[in-house]
Amino acid sequence: MEHTKLQGLCLFICSLIMLNGKTVLGSNGDYMDGDYMVDLTILESAVSKGAVCLDGSPPAYYYDKGHGEGANNWIIYFRGGEWCYNVTNCLDRTKTEKGSSKLALKQRSFYGILSNNKTVNSDFYNWNRVMVIYCDGSSFTGEVEEVDPATNLHFRGARIFLALIEHFLAEGMKNAKNAILTGGSAGGLPALIHCDRFRALLPNSARVKCLADGSYFLDRKNKKEMTFMETVNEGLINLHHSAKMLPSSCTSKMKPSLCLFPQYFQEGIKTPFFIVNSMFDSFQINKTLPGYYEDLFNNTCSSCLVKNLQDFKHEFLSALPKQSHSSSRGMFIDSCLIHAHITSSVGWNGFSVHNKTIAEAFSDWYFDRSPVQLIDKPDLPLNCYKFPSVTNFCH
């Protein structure tokens, strides 16, 4: 029985992790919204600019060309996958596509906001849609000229970002009427960090906005020891020299490692941006409450776990941009125990807050139909995938 529970837990956690650009299967095994495959493109020309993955290989992306009314509209999506913040885990990443384009899948399916299916993605299905592989380990902030001959590690994430954007400009994005910079998890963080840089490279006449999915990583106030995110941030700053790429409006006031937390640099972002996140983000809850995480799936919730969950929720909500009627800040904050939403069909079209899906909410905000700042009400996390069979957690 215990083995079965653990097996189910592992499957569920894997499904949460796979949200970021991969097929997500629910209890009925049918959350796919298309079966076409998009080919991988290796950007060889970026090597001469020093814009390379951790192992020195060129950056790469998947691209589905826009057509019809979407021919001059662009979505640039950055894949996520945590970070490497010391030499050991950076070397480990070079054995995967998280550190080498040589190991990236030759084809990948596009779902959610990247889908070409008009039924499930009516506002963006015919846009130019790009998914960038994440092979630098720094959320595209690294900027180190020297390469250690002992490890051959390259910390060039910021150069990858610029080389790719320049490439897409040359491919037609210079004529964009609409453009979105987005990403999930560690890939959504650069959608905020580089948001104003992206805006500056696009035509003044274009509608340009940014979307961060599962990327609102929280600096918790009530902590007794260094958190996982603090360890990551300190490592990025020291190893990747990320500080120079972070918003100066933040780094001029506090130590650079804090300026990787959106709550500290969001006010300085001039370009409109939208946050999609769970107030019980599964990645952050796992890192924050590792001793209790399995209890959630067994629904054996102690009073201490319930309090910790509610404390996390309150801290998370208090860190978000202030709610207002401003169109420059949009948000969709749900209560699902998941991490990242928009590149799965069930996340993009299946979850609702105040009777609006993410697809509906983001489209209304992006096209200036109405301000959108939706925050869910539940005090405890919901099992939105209904796996295991419990409806809600800790209820």
Side-chain angles (χ1 to χ4, degrees):
M1 184 68 176
E2 286 305 313
H3 175 71
T4 302
K5 282 185 177 180
L6 287 174
Q7 193 174 43
L9 173 60
C10 289
L11 285 171
F12 184 63
I13 292 174
C14 286
S15 75
L16 303 182
I17 294 170
M18 290 174 71
L19 270 170
N20 190 13
K22 299 183 181 179
T23 303
V24 178
L25 299 180
S27 57
N28 63 358
D30 183 23
Y31 282 145
M32 296 189 295
D33 55 37
D35 58 2
Y36 76 109
M37 302 295 286
V38 181
D39 292 333
L40 179 73
T41 299
I42 305 291
L43 188 60
E44 299 283 358
S45 62
V47 176
S48 63
K49 301 177 181 179
V52 293
C53 302
L54 285 168
D55 71 338
S57 59
Y61 61 89
Y62 305 88
Y63 171 44
D64 198 20
K65 188 175 178 60
H67 58 88
E69 293 182 357
N72 288 322
N73 301 330
W74 290 75
I75 295 177
I76 310 295
Y77 177 90
F78 289 96
R79 286 177 57 76
E82 295 198 36
W83 307 267
C84 70
Y85 46 94
N86 60 51
V87 169
T88 299
N89 58 43
C90 287
L91 284 172
D92 287 342
R93 288 174 78 99
T94 62
K95 301 170 187 175
T96 73
E97 74 167 23
K98 293 180 182 179
S100 175
S101 62
K102 298 174 184 177
L103 301 172
L105 294 177
K106 300 306 179 186
Q107 292 184 316
R108 195 177 289 277
S109 297
F110 278 11
Y111 301 104
I113 195 174
L114 298 178
S115 174
N116 71 342
N117 187 325
K118 186 177 181 179
T119 301
V120 300
N121 193 29
S122 59
D123 284 306
F124 309 109
Y125 77 97
N126 60 353
W127 287 31
N128 295 280
R129 286 154 291 113
V130 178
M131 177 186 285
V132 177
I133 73 163
Y134 178 37
C135 65
D136 71 283
S138 72
S139 288
F140 300 91
T141 62
E143 182 53 271
V144 180
E145 179 65 37
E146 302 81 11
V147 178
D148 185 346
T151 63
N152 194 42
L153 286 172
H154 298 69
F155 303 113
R156 306 279 182 77
R159 298 190 195 188
I160 291 176
F161 172 82
L162 184 58
L164 284 166
I165 299 305
E166 288 177 344
H167 172 70
F168 296 126
L169 287 169
E171 289 294 304
M173 195 167 68
K174 65 182 178 182
N175 300 315
K177 294 180 180 179
N178 296 285
I180 298 168
L181 182 67
T182 182
S185 189
L189 195 55
L192 296 176
I193 292 172
H194 294 308
C195 187
D196 287 339
R197 290 189 181 94
F198 183 68
R199 163 70 274 185
L201 293 169
L202 273 290
N204 290 333
S205 59
R207 179 192 283 116
V208 180
K209 300 184 181 183
C210 303
L211 166 59
D213 178 24
S215 310
Y216 202 90
F217 302 106
L218 182 66
D219 179 35
R220 300 203 63 186
K221 303 296 184 182
N222 301 320
K223 52 184 181 290
K224 296 179 181 178
E225 56 189 36
M226 179 166 280
T227 67
F228 171 77
M229 286 305 302
E230 284 182 304
T231 303
V232 168
N233 290 2
E234 291 286 355
L236 287 184
I237 296 300
N238 295 329
L239 190 61
H240 295 263
H241 296 186
S242 298
K244 65 186 77 174
M245 300 308 300
L246 302 181
S248 59
S249 59
C250 180
T251 56
S252 63
K253 300 175 184 176
M254 56 185 68
K255 64 179 183 177
S257 61
L258 289 175
C259 296
L260 283 158
F261 291 112
Q263 68 203 83
Y264 297 129
F265 68 81
Q266 61 192 5
E267 288 187 9
I269 301 174
K270 298 176 182 178
T271 306
F273 67 86
F274 194 95
I275 296 168
V276 173
N277 225 99
S278 170
M279 65 180 75
F280 299 108
D281 181 276
S282 60
F283 174 80
Q284 296 193 65
I285 292 294
N286 188 25
K287 298 298 183 182
T288 303
L289 307 172
Y292 295 111
Y293 202 58
E294 186 178 332
D295 290 345
L296 281 170
F297 296 91
N298 291 326
N299 222 19
T300 54
C301 302
S302 65
S303 58
C304 184
L305 172 54
V306 170
K307 184 179 185 305
N308 281 326
L309 288 169
Q310 292 178 338
D311 286 348
F312 182 90
K313 170 192 171 178
H314 294 146
E315 284 191 55
F316 180 86
L317 295 181
S318 66
L320 291 169
K322 290 182 174 62
Q323 294 187 62
S324 68
H325 295 292
S326 170
S327 61
S328 67
R329 301 290 185 263
M331 66 182 76
F332 181 102
I333 309 299
D334 60 58
S335 301
C336 301
L337 189 68
I338 61 171
H339 178 57
H341 304 60
I342 67 172
T343 52
S344 76
S345 58
V346 67
W348 184 237
N349 281 298
F351 305 150
S352 295
V353 172
H354 303 312
N355 298 316
K356 275 197 175 185
T357 65
I358 297 172
E360 293 167 338
F362 178 71
S363 293
D364 283 350
W365 175 84
Y366 180 80
F367 291 108
D368 301 311
R369 297 168 189 155
S370 64
V372 176
Q373 294 180 331
L374 302 177
I375 297 179
D376 214 352
K377 293 182 178 180
D379 288 327
L380 291 166
L382 305 180
N383 182 4
C384 297
Y385 281 97
K386 306 302 186 287
F387 187 92
S389 59
V390 295
T391 302
N392 301 327
F393 297 104
C394 294
H395 287 71

